[in-house]
Amino acid sequence: PYVIVCNHQASLDLMGMVEFIPDRCVPIAKKELMYMGTVGWACWLSGIIFIDRHKREDAIDVIAQTARTMRRENVR
C-alpha cells in the first residue's frame, strides 16, 4: 500500500491526475465537495473518501481508519 499526495489547483488538474494514478487507488477529498451537485454525486459514487477539514479529530479518525484498512487488506 502507498499514499500519493496531490494538491491540484484547478478542476482540469483532476483530469491529468486520473492518467497517472494507479488502478484501485481511492482519493481522499474535502467534505465540501460532496455538496457540489453533480460533482459531489460523481465523487460519492466513485468511492472517494471525504474528510471534514474543519473537525480535525474526525478527519484524523477517517484517515486512520483508511490506513488500517489499507494495511489489513493490502490494498492501494
Side-chain angles (χ1 to χ4, degrees):
Y2 53 89
V3 176
I4 299 172
V5 178
C6 300
N7 184 15
H8 61 94
Q9 299 295 316
S11 300
L12 296 177
D13 293 347
L14 185 58
M15 293 169 51
M17 289 180 353
V18 170
E19 289 299 316
F20 71 85
I21 292 178
D23 294 339
R24 298 179 56 203
C25 184
V26 179
I28 296 176
K30 60 184 177 180
K31 193 172 187 176
E32 291 86 4
L33 287 178
M34 189 169 27
Y35 305 111
M36 292 186 65
T38 307
V39 172
W41 278 98
C43 291
W44 182 73
L45 289 172
S46 65
I48 288 179
I49 298 170
F50 294 100
I51 59 169
D52 189 352
R53 298 186 308 168
H54 300 292
K55 295 181 181 177
R56 185 174 189 267
E57 294 80 22
D58 292 346
I60 291 171
D61 288 342
V62 169
I63 293 171
Q65 181 180 3
T66 303
R68 283 192 299 273
T69 301
M70 288 172 67
R71 280 190 233 117
R72 183 181 63 243
E73 297 180 12
N74 193 27
V75 296
R76 297 181 175 98

